[in-house]
Amino acid sequence: MSERRSPLVKSDTAPRSGSVQSVERALTLLEVLGEDEEGYRLTDLAARTGLSPSTVHRLLATLETRRFVQFDPSDGMWHMGRQAFAVGSAFIRQRNFVAPALPFLRRLRDQTRETANLGVADDGEMVFLTQVESREIMRAISRVGGRAPMASSGMGKAILSTYSAADVAAIIGRHGLKRLTPRSLTDAAELGAELDRIRRNGYAVDDEEFVTGLRCVAAVVYDAQGEALCAISVSGLAVRLTTERVTTLGPLLRDTAIELTRTLGGRMPDAAGA
């Protein structure tokens, strides 16, 4: 499930109050470059960021000396550099549950023949931390580090189901309910009913709500306090993840999440106070 965010437009003449303008601009360039592994031309970066080509070139030259970006003279494209990966990977290293979760993701991939994913909630969105790709020719792939609205993703809805009604309302108030596909949930009451179903079933389903043609089944992994730590999922083409198959995969995801919770020293919510 690839994900592209809307252009990050920054005015050349309107820095945010209290911010360092050059840092803001450099980080904006890195965010845009991170959206597409095929890279961007300088003129494209200028158009997407709202910065002048001369400003973009100056910032890129500085970032290139620190190896945060790299230039391919064969096609005139700018790409993310290896230092950006080195710094970004520190985020994953802080999440000491990623490595222990990988055997569970590999097992899910082998059991389902679909792509297995791990993600965390961050400011009302899901961030994809790692995945184990399906061996099928046609498969679902999420860009590691990519983001998705919680209300439109299986892992996001699974984690939302552990939140209080007030917390869910706050997230909706801050981010809204975006219609990404014809199946996206855009009504708060409809989302509330969906979260009730997830609580009863112990797993969530993204029924082509984030990307048309893709389905996802997800469940929550809990920490030692019985609160949502992360979520795991399997995702694949809707023609393979039929409604009937989803009802089989749901309990598998739920049971795997419980097993991973215990492996990580976590506790299910009912046992949080034990």
Side-chain angles (χ1 to χ4, degrees), residues 6-142:
S6 57
L8 298 168
V9 179
K10 303 284 185 181
S11 169
D12 256 346
T13 59
R16 293 181 184 174
S17 175
S19 67
V20 178
Q21 187 182 62
S22 59
V23 175
E24 284 257 344
R25 292 172 173 176
L27 291 175
T28 296
L29 284 174
L30 289 176
E31 288 176 355
V32 173
L33 280 171
E35 292 178 356
D36 195 333
E37 61 273 14
E38 295 183 2
Y40 289 97
R41 298 183 185 277
L42 186 148
T43 52
D44 296 329
L45 288 170
R48 286 184 61 80
T49 60
L51 300 172
S52 68
S54 61
T55 297
V56 171
H57 185 269
R58 184 172 65 253
L59 292 170
L60 289 172
T62 301
L63 290 169
E64 185 181 29
T65 63
R66 301 298 299 270
R67 300 179 179 175
F68 279 88
V69 302
Q70 58 187 28
F71 179 68
D72 186 348
S74 67
D75 58 9
M77 304 288 276
W78 287 89
H79 304 267
M80 295 293 285
R82 63 186 184 209
Q83 188 60 23
F85 170 79
V87 172
S89 63
F91 178 79
I92 293 181
R93 290 197 299 271
Q94 290 180 65
R95 272 62 183 172
N96 56 8
F97 53 81
V98 175
L102 282 173
F104 292 85
L105 297 182
R106 294 190 187 101
R107 191 176 74 192
L108 281 172
R109 185 271 312 275
D110 294 341
Q111 290 173 320
T112 66
R113 302 185 64 82
E114 305 294 350
T115 297
N117 312 282
L118 175 73
V120 293
D122 178 59
D123 190 28
E125 295 181 310
M126 288 303 299
V127 179
F128 296 93
L129 293 186
T130 191
Q131 68 180 191
V132 177
E133 290 185 22
S134 167
R135 294 191 176 99
E136 299 290 333
I137 295 176
M138 297 296 292
R139 59 190 184 271
I141 300 176
S142 301

Side-chain angles (χ1 to χ4, degrees), residues 131-195:
Q131 68 180 191
V132 177
E133 290 185 22
S134 167
R135 294 191 176 99
E136 299 290 333
I137 295 176
M138 297 296 292
R139 59 190 184 271
I141 300 176
S142 301
R143 178 171 58 86
V144 173
R147 305 174 77 93
M150 294 185 75
S152 301
S153 64
M155 290 192 291
K157 289 194 294 182
I159 290 181
L160 277 178
S161 73
T162 71
Y163 290 0
S164 68
D167 287 340
V168 173
I171 289 174
I172 294 174
R174 192 160 62 247
H175 297 279
L177 293 173
K178 302 174 183 176
R179 184 177 295 280
L180 302 178
T181 77
R183 292 180 176 267
S184 298
L185 299 178
T186 57
D187 178 77
E190 186 180 6
L191 176 61
E194 174 74 0
L195 297 181

Side-chain angles (χ1 to χ4, degrees), residues 104-105 107-109 111-112 114-118 154-155 158 201-205 216-222 231-235 241 245-261 268:
F104 292 85
L105 297 182
R107 191 176 74 192
L108 281 172
R109 185 271 312 275
Q111 290 173 320
T112 66
E114 305 294 350
T115 297
N117 312 282
L118 175 73
M155 290 192 291
N201 296 334
Y203 63 88
V205 178
C216 172
V217 186
V220 177
V221 177
Y222 294 90
I232 57 174
S233 72
V234 292
S235 53
L241 289 184
R245 193 171 178 218
V246 163
T247 60
T248 300
L249 294 183
L252 174 64
L253 264 293
R254 179 189 62 211
D255 294 345
T256 302
I258 292 172
E259 186 181 354
L260 180 54
T261 293
M268 300 304 292

